[in-house]
Amino acid sequence: MSYLPKSLNLGSAPRSCDPQKGDITYYIPWGNLAVFVRDFRPSDNLVPLGKLSPEALKAIQESGSKDVEISLVK
């Protein structure tokens, strides 16, 4: 979980999702990012942003660290 310095402009983005393992999401009430390491239940106020590759997710899980840096790859 990581708190952002300011709220995201969500425009017409969906305001709920059914997060799956590897999903990156934005939780509206708290203004934080969340990465799911396992499937979760359908949730309101959770905006889907992207998905980690299986390799990235595995590296995070194997590292045992709670601190990771995520960057956009084009």
Side-chain angles (χ1 to χ4, degrees):
M1 174 172 23
S2 175
Y3 291 96
L4 301 178
K6 63 180 185 173
S7 298
L8 294 180
N9 179 354
L10 301 176
S12 62
R15 302 299 203 271
S16 66
C17 71
D18 183 6
Q20 304 299 304
K21 183 176 179 178
D23 285 352
I24 303 169
T25 63
Y26 175 67
Y27 186 55
I28 298 168
W30 296 350
N32 68 292
L33 297 180
V35 175
F36 287 84
V37 296
R38 60 180 158 262
D39 294 349
F40 196 65
R41 61 178 163 73
S43 303
D44 291 332
N45 294 311
L46 198 58
V47 180
L49 298 176
K51 191 165 192 76
L52 293 174
S53 69
E55 297 82 14
L57 185 60
K58 182 177 179 183
I60 291 169
Q61 290 174 312
E62 289 178 351
S63 75
S65 174
K66 294 186 184 220
D67 296 326
V68 296
E69 183 176 324
I70 298 172
S71 59
L72 177 63
V73 177
K74 295 181 181 182

